[in-house]
Amino acid sequence: MDSNDILGSLMDQLGSGGVDQIGRAVGVSGGDVTNVLAGAIPAMMAGLTRNTASSDGANALLGALDRDHDGSILDDVAGYLGGGGNLADGAGILGHIFSGRTTNVERTVSRSSGVDLGAVTQIMSMVAPLLLGALGKAKRQQGFDASGLAAALGQTQERARSASPSAVDMFTRMLDSDGDGDSTDDIVRMGSSLLGSFYKR
């Protein structure tokens, strides 16, 4: 797996079937799930890249991958989603990714997508372990260390930025401050080009 394909691996695993499964579990439409992911994926990538900018952060994430996220979750995504995911695990992951700003991120995604905040929280909590699983799979296949992990995330972030620069950069700025995102930013529109670039590969 190329380091640039970490997000591609996740999108391949979700596909339309996975999106529909998430929608059924949460009680929203597949279109609503897609709209949430258009904001959630750039947000999570911005958070992970920010956290691994330091060696301590990269080592902490590498340790988490070694302990809990070896990529095996991707072996049966349908079963994982069909069981409603692991919301507690996902919430914990989001807390680490966003360093206490999870609620701000979720509110911003909710405002932009028009999807209820509670549903946004569930969707992001279901997807977060899958994203860590994709990272863990890449780590297992490539055998990279903390610096390699940071480099892989940086490359993935650049790919995401090239497809949807406004969405990625908006969340990067948001995570560097204490405020909410700009509610006038159309994150769904900005992020849809990112998702489309993976679904159409």
Side-chain angles (χ1 to χ4, degrees):
M1 181 190 299
D2 188 284
S3 59
N4 285 328
D5 210 31
I6 293 171
L7 278 184
S9 175
L10 174 61
M11 293 299 105
D12 286 345
Q13 292 292 335
L14 286 176
S16 60
V19 165
D20 289 340
Q21 274 192 296
I22 293 172
R24 287 193 293 272
V26 176
V28 298
S29 70
D32 283 340
V33 174
T34 299
N35 287 341
V36 170
L37 293 180
I41 296 298
M44 287 190 278
M45 285 308 308
L48 285 168
T49 305
R50 178 179 181 272
N51 291 347
T52 54
S54 70
S55 59
D56 286 346
N59 278 308
L61 178 56
L62 192 71
L65 296 180
D66 287 337
R67 288 191 309 272
D68 303 314
H69 306 285
D70 62 0
S72 59
I73 190 173
L74 301 182
D75 294 338
D76 186 16
V77 172
Y80 166 77
L81 295 177
N86 187 332
L87 299 184
D89 186 33
I93 291 170
L94 293 174
H96 288 296
I97 290 176
F98 297 127
S99 302
R101 295 181 175 88
T102 305
T103 300
N104 286 351
V105 172
E106 291 172 346
R107 284 174 177 166
T108 300
V109 174
S110 175
R111 284 199 303 266
S112 179
S113 64
V115 178
D116 176 77
L117 177 60
V120 168
T121 298
Q122 290 183 64
I123 292 168
M124 292 182 65
S125 294
M126 290 180 74
V127 171
L130 295 175
L131 178 56
L132 268 289
L135 284 174
K137 182 177 180 179
K139 190 264 182 188
R140 189 180 74 243
Q141 291 181 341
Q142 299 180 47
F144 47 58
D145 57 11
S147 62
L149 173 62
L153 281 169
Q155 291 170 22
T156 303
Q157 175 83 325
E158 286 309 307
R159 181 179 177 187
R161 181 176 282 110
S162 69
S164 183
S166 298
V168 173
D169 290 341
M170 192 283 289
F171 278 111
T172 299
R173 291 193 303 271
M174 177 180 171
L175 293 173
D176 284 335
S177 69
D178 292 325
D180 289 337
D182 185 348
S183 61
T184 64
D185 279 325
D186 185 356
I187 300 169
V188 170
R189 174 182 56 79
M190 294 189 295
S192 62
S193 60
L194 172 62
L195 296 186
S197 71
F198 292 110
Y199 285 133
K200 295 176 182 177
R201 289 181 312 143

